[in-house]
Amino acid sequence: FIAVNCGAIPRELIGSELFGYAEGAFTGARRGGSPGKFELADGGTLFLDEIGDMPIEQQVTLLRVLQEKQVCRLGDSKTIPVDVRIICATNHNLYQEVQKGTFRQDLFYRLNVISLLVPPLRERPEDIDLLLKHFLIQQDSKWLENMRIDPDARYLLHNYKWPGNVRELQNFAERIQYTARDYTVRSSDLPREIFESSGQRPE
């Protein structure tokens, strides 16, 4: 399983990151070249996170790999077969991006085999307790058996809009590690913005 954040790779390095490069392909290239993420994921899964942020001029190279199931390293003429399962994620509406011309239509339909829409956290408050517990357990396994959430705190957490979505909840869980007592989440542990969104004042 190989994960790539397409929005974090510099535009000029996307080709070499995904497809690798041959020795001498550019100044500073590693001796012997280097495999790309597709080669590294051969026989497994390549997760392309933030696929909607990939520059449109690079999308055509991705389309070619998906169709031909082979890659060619930058600066090389030899093709390398790859057998890779592709999973993509994005916070963009790719169909709308296609209409605007910022995402290739042929790539969209190539990727859109099985589509899963994950609603934002504000639309599924019933998941908040479970996700919060998951993040807390990652830091301290004792939360598994001892976690409690006071009713007032639960009400505030469930009615907050979570503009930062799940990442904001994850950051909140990290904060709770240092502020909560006896593995109990109290309203006094909540950050100011959660109180302000409900019209209340922090205790």
Side-chain angles (χ1 to χ4, degrees):
F1 180 86
I2 302 294
V4 181
N5 187 331
C6 298
I9 305 174
R11 182 181 297 257
E12 64 275 8
L13 296 181
I14 288 180
S16 59
E17 283 288 321
L18 292 179
F19 312 121
Y21 57 84
E23 181 176 350
F26 51 83
T27 302
R30 182 185 304 173
R31 173 177 288 185
S34 178
K37 303 303 185 187
F38 272 91
E39 284 185 69
L40 294 174
D42 187 32
T45 300
L46 179 62
F47 175 46
L48 299 176
D49 196 12
E50 303 296 351
I51 186 70
D53 293 325
M54 176 177 279
I56 194 165
E57 66 268 17
Q58 293 288 349
Q59 294 172 18
V60 64
T61 58
L62 186 58
L63 179 67
R64 187 177 303 117
V65 176
L66 295 175
Q67 290 177 336
E68 301 176 2
K69 300 188 185 305
Q70 56 186 18
V71 297
C72 182
R73 292 187 182 184
L74 186 66
D76 201 352
S77 58
K78 181 178 65 175
T79 58
I80 302 171
V82 290
D83 178 18
V84 179
R85 177 192 298 111
I86 303 294
I87 298 176
C88 300
T90 181
N91 61 352
H92 295 280
N93 184 321
L94 291 186
Y95 183 77
Q96 291 180 358
E97 297 299 320
V98 169
Q99 309 308 308
K100 293 190 297 185
T102 57
F103 199 85
R104 290 182 62 98
Q105 183 180 52
D106 45 6
L107 180 58
F108 170 74
Y109 287 115
R110 188 70 174 172
L111 293 173
N112 193 33
V113 179
I114 299 175
S115 181
L116 300 176
L117 176 63
V118 181
L121 193 57
R122 65 179 176 273
E123 295 180 10
R124 46 190 178 104
E126 66 279 1
D127 289 345
I128 290 175
D129 291 10
L130 183 63
L131 286 169
L132 179 58
K133 189 171 187 176
H134 168 73
F135 293 135
L136 290 169
I137 291 170
Q138 287 183 328
Q139 302 293 326
D140 183 351
S141 61
K142 292 182 180 179
W143 283 95
L144 178 61
E145 300 294 337
N146 299 306
M147 176 179 167
R148 294 184 300 277
I149 303 178
D150 280 356
D152 288 347
R154 176 175 283 109
Y155 173 83
L156 291 169
L157 290 171
H158 285 207
N159 286 276
Y160 181 55
K161 298 303 183 184
W162 298 102
N165 210 6
V166 177
R167 287 188 180 91
E168 184 180 3
L169 180 62
Q170 186 174 11
N171 291 337
F172 169 69
E174 186 173 348
R175 169 193 173 124
I176 287 295
Q177 296 286 341
Y178 302 102
T179 61
R181 306 182 309 278
D182 305 320
Y183 298 98
T184 300
V185 180
R186 301 174 174 87
S187 57
S188 58
D189 298 316
L190 306 186
R192 178 178 298 273
E193 56 267 22
I194 292 182
F195 278 94
E196 291 178 346
S197 70
S198 66
Q200 300 186 34
R201 293 184 177 180
E203 296 178 0

